Structure formats: C-alpha cells, structure tokens
Amino acid sequence: MYSKYFTEEHNVFRQSFRDFLNKEAVPHIDRWEETGEIDREIFEKMGEMGYFALYYPEEYGGLNLDFFYTVIFLEEMQRINSGGFAAAMWVQAFLGAQHLLKEGDERIKQEYLVPTLTGEKIGCLGITEPFGGSDVAGMRTTAVKDGDHYVINGLNVLE
C-alpha cells in the first residue's frame, strides 16, 4: 500500500504489532472486559516488544521512533475492539510515562519511567475529585510542601 506518510518499515511494524495483538491480546479480551482486570503478563510482553517505548529517548530504554509509529500503535489498538484494554495500554504508553519523562528528575526517570516502558511497572494517572469527575482544570485540591512531604488540602464539598 502506497502512502506518503508510512514507509515500508512502518508497514512491517504495523503487521508485526497486529500479529502480536491477535496472538497475545485478542484471545483474552472478552475475559478482561468482563472482569475489568487485565493480566499483568500482557504489560510485560508489550514492554519486551518495545511497544510502550516507541517515541521515548533511548537513554530510558526508548526506541526514539517517529510519530507515525504512535499513529500505527493507536490504530491497531482500536482494530481489536476493546475499549478497556486499549485505554489501559494507552495510559501506560502515553499518560503515566509521559508525565514521568516531562516532569520527573533523573532519579524518578530511572526508578519509574524505565520500568514503565518495559512493562515491569504499571502506570496510571488519577485525576478526580468528589462531584468534580476528571475535569483537571476545575480541580480544587492542592498539595502544599511542608518540609520533606506534602500536605493535601481538598475542598470538602459535603459541607
């Protein structure tokens, strides 16, 4: 298939990722969706294959690949028709790890980013408040540094 965006290397990646998903994820999708739990092993397998590390810098175990590999990752995740699994893999590769890369110091990157990219650690992003949902811009909780720790001060919306 000709494309001015996708090279032959992209096409090979697409097919190998599609094959991987069909072998390692698709047979389990119904169970994962029904139970709401995804086997930890799939995170490790995805990490071993480098799927969480596509555009991350090599110094953290990333592959430093171009944006179109990420496009392929997202397209192929949608092809298997699993909202929950796709969302979990997307969070692992792009939300939690992205914050670690952009905001973490070197210790944080080594302790959390590197094993997130390998699937050894599972990332998440928790952004919610009572009656506020996940509207990040509207959050009222603050974290105030107090010595060597933080004090979380949330708004008691039940008053």
Side-chain angles (χ1 to χ4, degrees):
M1 172 176 90
Y2 170 78
S3 168
K4 65 180 181 178
Y5 303 107
F6 298 115
T7 65
E8 184 58 33
E9 289 81 12
H10 289 122
N11 294 332
V12 169
F13 171 75
R14 180 186 298 279
Q15 189 59 55
S16 69
F17 188 44
R18 185 178 293 174
D19 292 345
F20 173 88
L21 290 172
N22 284 328
K23 179 183 178 194
E24 301 293 343
V26 170
H28 309 286
I29 294 292
D30 289 340
R31 178 173 50 85
W32 293 339
E33 293 288 342
E34 184 178 309
T35 65
E37 294 181 21
I38 299 170
D39 296 340
R40 181 176 192 86
E41 291 79 22
I42 192 65
F43 286 89
E44 294 165 353
K45 289 177 181 180
M46 294 272 293
E48 286 172 16
M49 297 298 293
Y51 296 135
F52 296 137
L54 297 176
Y55 72 90
Y56 289 91
E58 291 177 10
E59 69 232 52
Y60 302 113
L63 301 175
N64 201 32
L65 297 172
D66 67 55
F67 174 72
F68 292 105
Y69 286 91
T70 299
V71 171
I72 293 166
F73 176 93
L74 295 172
E75 287 177 344
E76 293 303 316
M77 290 301 297
Q78 296 314 120
R79 287 176 53 87
I80 63 172
N81 296 317
S82 169
F85 174 71
M89 298 304 109
W90 183 79
V91 165
Q92 180 77 2
F94 305 113
L95 283 181
Q98 185 59 236
H99 284 284
L100 294 170
L101 177 66
K102 297 295 183 188
E103 306 298 333
D105 61 22
E106 193 58 32
R107 180 190 67 80
I108 293 290
K109 289 175 183 176
Q110 293 301 324
E111 190 172 340
Y112 296 102
L113 176 61
V114 171
T116 296
L117 298 181
T118 65
E120 178 187 343
K121 292 190 180 201
I122 298 175
C124 65
L125 183 62
I127 47 172
T128 190
E129 287 184 330
F131 305 104
S134 57
D135 174 14
V136 178
M139 295 186 109
R140 297 185 227 175
T141 301
T142 62
V144 178
K145 191 156 189 166
D146 184 10
D148 63 351
H149 63 281
Y150 287 87
V151 177
I152 306 296
N153 299 309
L155 175 65
N156 186 346
V157 296
L158 299 176
E159 290 183 315

